[in-house]
Amino acid sequence: MDNEETARRVGGAELVRFRLGVVDEALRLFADQGYEATSVDEIAEAAGISRRTFFRQFRSKEDVIFADHEAQLAAAQEYLQQAQLDPWDAVCEAAVGVFERFTRWRDIAERRYRVVRRVPALRDREIVTVFRYERLFTDYLRERLPDSPDLARVQFAAAVTATHNYLLRRMIRGESAAGPGDLRTALGEIPQGGRRPGGEDDLVLAVFRRDLPVRHVAELLRQRLGSLAEAPAD
């Protein structure tokens, strides 16, 4: 029984670890001797599997580079299917989950970043892969929020994905020590459905004496809230 069969028998999590092990070895070879110069046979040998096993798990050398994204997308989709949060918040938490797993697989993410930067065809594939996250989030919002403006759903999914990728790339390049909590905070600043986070609950409550003249109330509001008090009503 080879490593692949053992992984299949143990379960999905073990199979993910098995595939990540192959990805890790492939990226090491690509980094050391170049993408084009590395053969499938060399990857299989380094990973301790047969050529046949390699092609059962990956269709090509290009696929092996982005194989961990398949696990990430599947995990994000599973999370969204079970999420009980407000849909806007659920998308943010799905993105945070992706980021958290990438921090655990940071060595793989760093090696892939270096390899992909050198090969134009892989950069194009990466763009397509990133769009799949955005599409997953958009489709989820369309399903859960059918009455929301479609542009708002598309914009939100794009902003969540872009924010995630920005912080992830900075972490991979060693420019930032941002963690999942930092991403969650940044995502909380993205307008939800065309409104600021908090939406209808984003209220200002003021308490005044009942006998205070209206002009005094207005003046106090202008002093405390500044331009907000001057804004025209909807």
Side-chain angles (χ1 to χ4, degrees):
M1 184 182 299
D2 64 15
N3 292 337
E4 179 196 31
E5 183 61 26
T6 299
R8 285 184 179 279
R9 287 177 178 271
V10 171
E14 188 63 30
L15 183 58
V16 168
R17 282 191 287 272
F18 165 77
R19 287 169 60 86
L20 286 175
V22 180
V23 172
D24 191 35
E25 293 297 338
L27 289 172
R28 289 181 189 276
L29 289 172
F30 294 153
D32 290 343
Q33 58 192 43
Y35 174 74
E36 298 295 344
T38 301
S39 68
V40 167
D41 289 334
E42 288 174 310
I43 297 171
E45 182 179 357
I49 61 175
S50 67
R51 179 184 177 89
R52 180 181 177 185
T53 295
F54 178 92
F55 283 113
R56 276 204 300 265
Q57 292 294 326
F58 314 99
R59 290 174 299 178
S60 65
K61 288 195 303 180
E62 184 175 300
D63 280 350
V64 78
I65 290 179
F66 299 100
D68 59 319
H69 279 290
E70 297 301 323
Q72 289 276 31
L73 283 160
Q77 184 173 31
E78 181 178 1
Y79 172 83
L80 290 173
Q81 288 172 346
Q82 300 174 0
Q84 300 299 315
L85 298 173
D86 173 90
W88 306 105
D89 293 334
V91 167
C92 291
E93 286 303 308
V96 171
V98 172
F99 190 93
E100 193 277 330
R101 286 186 292 275
F102 271 130
T103 61
R104 284 189 269 134
W105 308 340
R106 182 169 179 168
D107 288 347
I108 289 177
E110 289 176 347
R111 278 195 289 276
R112 177 174 50 236
Y113 178 80
R114 291 194 293 269
V115 171
V116 169
R117 297 282 73 74
R118 302 173 190 167
V119 184
L122 296 180
R123 292 200 295 272
D124 293 341
R125 171 67 180 271
E126 185 177 47
I127 293 171
V128 173
T129 300
V130 168
F131 178 73
R132 291 177 64 193
Y133 289 97
E134 187 175 326
R135 183 60 184 268
L136 172 65
F137 298 153
T138 302
D139 287 347
Y140 169 77
L141 291 173
R142 283 172 174 160
E143 178 184 349
R144 294 294 304 276
L145 299 170
D147 297 328
S148 294
D150 195 52
L151 180 59
R153 295 180 298 219
V154 171
Q155 288 176 326
F156 186 79
V160 167
T161 305
T163 302
H164 170 279
N165 292 341
Y166 173 79
L167 290 181
L168 180 64
R169 289 195 181 98
R170 293 201 67 206
M171 180 193 73
I172 290 172
R173 293 195 295 256
E175 298 171 358
S176 169
D182 299 296
L183 175 60
R184 184 177 286 110
T185 298
L187 294 178
E189 298 299 318
I190 299 175
Q192 300 177 354
R195 54 190 170 85
R196 290 184 298 165
E200 295 177 356
D201 295 328
D202 189 13
L203 304 176
V204 176
L205 181 64
V207 179
F208 300 97
R209 293 199 326 268
R210 182 178 300 181
D211 61 349
L212 194 65
V214 173
R215 65 179 183 278
H216 290 174
V217 172
E219 182 60 30
L220 286 171
L221 285 173
R222 274 192 287 271
Q223 291 175 5
R224 296 297 179 90
L225 302 179
S227 61
L228 181 59
E230 301 288 341
D234 292 335

